[in-house]
């Protein structure tokens, strides 16, 4: 397609779409085109990157943050921390004079203190906490890392001193406090909503300490935030931040090109070479810690058989997927851990495409006549999978060559995630983007027994041997020893095949040329605190 025809087609698509236009007063702020709607306004309650991008770093802070360039931990709401010699006690000194949001629905009477940290983490781990079972008692990330089994007690020794007492040493503990899921909530707001008999508002009308405060959510249309004028790191440059919810890829791109949106996080890879030539658009690129994969529901036959999982892995052409879906803007995956991780096992075999061997394995499993299965494909574009539907079609064609009939299934994004957590799928094309630099961030949230219970383990695979390898890695702080355990874990996964790792994608985002102060963070969601508009 000629470039002029391509951009004309995008413009016509946008003009003819039924998407509700944004009011003029919203356009005066910064507009981010999001691929989906948030599931919750409490990051503890989700693992969805779509929700995290909208919510976490805009509305909340964490005890610790991650230095984007190095992956090192740095102070957040905690100024400093100390660990006991036995690795069981962590003491944090908190930052003072940090203001919570003042909104139309809540006015705080005090700044952030240790009570808020205790409230936040006790909600996750204590069944007797008045908020623990709100929304079903689901905290998928923390449950996947067995937070309740790890942390014995969280206590305030003074208004600005907090102690975490652990049941066992855990070398990933501090990194988990720096994830986007570890947002600090307001204990005062929680008590006020409880007194009103409306505790559910804690998660739907948020109060945090982040650079922006919540204004409104129009379901499936937009999320609007206002600047937090008393933010402890200074005021954000933008008075207003709007997330315009546009699930359709072409419509998001059209809005960028017509300046209805300032930022599009996941531009279609097929269009990168075209939009990079436009003077009004900047394209940012970064090597990101992520993995796209095809997970099998190992609780359902025939996916409970290793021979079947290995056969399906051998049947698909990874090279063709990298070309057609990622446009060669990704690294072929050998396992879930990206090559940029210090624990990556370079000796893992590369993916093999061998339909003949795949048919032989199916015969060994008693399925020489083939079988029928479902492939669930994400309805949204994500960093780790830019086009799940296209990928599903490629896999469908490959499987037909070994006598397997694949049906492609999809739903609206939040429905898709709910049904996925409930284990209704046969297999799913999905993925994971790192929240910190610790290798554990790829293993326990995706494949541990605890993650199978919480729903974030899409393979529903629970293997005590694998869990034991992870626990041995966590029990030591010596990196080489940890790496040896993680190498063993990668080799174990390669043999067991609960999922097929496909690609580690480059991360892109497209920004209007008059916007500065926005960069790609390799570890976690997007932060728009520094975004500002410049005069051409």
């Amino acid at each position: 397609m000629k470039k002029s025809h391509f951009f004309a087609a995008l413009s016509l698509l946008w003009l003819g779409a039924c998407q509700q236009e944004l009011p003029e007063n919203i356009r005066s702020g910064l507009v981010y085109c999001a691929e989906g709607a948030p599931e919750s306004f409490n990051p503890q309650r989700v693992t969805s990157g779509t929700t995290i991008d909208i919510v976490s770093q805009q509305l909340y802070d964490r005890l610790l943050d991650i230095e984007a360039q190095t992956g090192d931990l740095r102070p957040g709401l905690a100024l400093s921390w100390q660990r006991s010699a036995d690795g069981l006690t962590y003491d944090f000194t908190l930052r003072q004079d940090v203001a919570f949001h003042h909104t139309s629905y809540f006015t705080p009477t005090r700044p952030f203190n240790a009570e808020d940290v205790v409230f936040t983490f006790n909600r996750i781990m204590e069944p007797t906490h008045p908020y623990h079972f709100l929304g079903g008692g689901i905290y998928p990330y923390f449950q996947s890392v067995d937070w309740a089994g790890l942390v014995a007690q969280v206590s305030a020794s003074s208004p600005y001193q907090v102690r975490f007492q652990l049941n066992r040493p855990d070398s990933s503990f501090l990194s988990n406090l720096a994830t986007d899921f570890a947002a600090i909530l307001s204990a005062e707001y929680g008590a006020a909503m409880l007194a009103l008999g409306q505790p559910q508002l804690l998660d739907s009308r948020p109060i945090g300490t982040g650079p922006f405060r919540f204004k409104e959510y129009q379901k499936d249309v937009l999320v609007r935030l206002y600047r937090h004028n008393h933010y402890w790191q200074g005021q954000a440059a933008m008075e207003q931040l709007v997330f315009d919810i546009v699930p359709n890829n072409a419509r998001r791109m059209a809005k960028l090109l017509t300046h209805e949106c300032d930022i599009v996080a996941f531009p279609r890879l097929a269009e990168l070479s075209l939009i990079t030539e436009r003077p009004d658009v900047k394209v940012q690129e970064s090597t990101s810690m992520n993995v796209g994969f095809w997970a099998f529901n190992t609780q359902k036959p025939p996916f409970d058989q290793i021979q079947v999982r290995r056969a399906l892995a051998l049947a698909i052409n990874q090279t063709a997927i990298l070309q057609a879906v990622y446009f060669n803007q990704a690294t072929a995956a050998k396992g879930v851990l990206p090559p940029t991780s210090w624990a990556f096992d370079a000796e893992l075999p590369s993916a093999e495409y061998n339909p003949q061997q795949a048919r032989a394995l199916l015969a060994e499993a008693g399925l020489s006549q083939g079988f029928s299965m479902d492939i669930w494909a994400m309805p949204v574009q994500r960093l780790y999978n830019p086009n799940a539907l296209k990928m599903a079609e490629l896999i469908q064609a490959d499987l037909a060559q070994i006598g397997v009939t694949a049906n492609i299934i999809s739903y609206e994004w939040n429905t898709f995630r709910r049904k996925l957590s409930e284990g209704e799928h046969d297999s799913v094309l999905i993925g994971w983007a790192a929240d910190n630099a610790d290798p554990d961030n790829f293993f326990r949230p995706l494949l541990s027994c605890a993650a199978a219970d919480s729903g974030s383990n899409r393979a529903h695979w629970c293997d005590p041997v694998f869990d034991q390898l992870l626990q041995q890695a966590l029990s030591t702080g010596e990196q080489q020893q940890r790496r040896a355990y993680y190498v063993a874990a990668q080799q174990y996964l390669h043999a067991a095949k609960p999922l097929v790792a496909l690609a580690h994608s480059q991360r892109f985002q497209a920004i209007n040329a008059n916007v500065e102060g926005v960069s790609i963070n390799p570890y976690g969601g997007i932060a728009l605190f520094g975004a500002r508009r410049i005069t051409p």
Side-chain angles (χ1 to χ4, degrees), residues 121-133 148 152-154:
F121 291 103
N122 278 351
R123 173 184 178 174
I124 296 168
M125 53 186 273
E126 290 189 357
T128 57
H129 192 282
Y131 278 92
H132 178 77
F133 288 107
Q153 185 181 35
V154 185

Side-chain angles (χ1 to χ4, degrees), residues 47 140-141 144-145 176 181 432 435 439-448 451-452 454-458 470:
T47 55
Y141 181 82
S144 75
V145 297
N176 285 328
F181 310 109
W432 182 257
D435 305 289
D440 182 70
N441 192 248
F442 278 89
F443 292 116
R444 278 197 295 174
L446 295 181
L447 288 160
S448 68
S454 72
S456 65
N457 180 339
R458 306 309 185 187
L470 299 186

Side-chain angles (χ1 to χ4, degrees), residues 22 104 161 227 281 329 511:
L22 296 179
S104 60
Q161 295 285 331
R227 181 169 63 193
V281 175
Q329 298 291 338
I511 304 177

Side-chain angles (χ1 to χ4, degrees), residues 63-64 78-94 117 153-158 160-166 173-174 177:
L63 289 178
L64 305 178
L79 283 171
S80 62
W81 56 94
Q82 292 182 326
R83 188 186 75 165
S84 64
D86 61 6
L88 297 178
T89 304
Y90 289 79
D91 290 302
F92 295 85
T93 299
L94 305 181
V117 179
Q153 185 181 35
V154 185
S155 59
S157 48
S158 77
Y160 293 97
Q161 295 285 331
V162 172
R163 169 168 290 185
F164 285 76
Q165 193 71 38
L166 307 187
F173 172 72
L174 290 176
L177 289 179

Side-chain angles (χ1 to χ4, degrees), residues 6 16 46 55 67 88 97 102 116 120 141 206 215 218 228 234 254-255 274 287 332 366 401 429 434 441 455 460 490:
F6 167 75
V46 303
V55 173
E67 181 58 52
L88 297 178
D97 300 319
H102 287 241
D116 303 302
T120 295
Y141 181 82
K215 178 60 179 177
Q218 297 179 26
H228 179 197
K255 283 195 165 193
L274 297 172
T287 299
Q401 300 304 309
L429 293 169
N441 192 248
H460 292 270
Q490 290 169 79

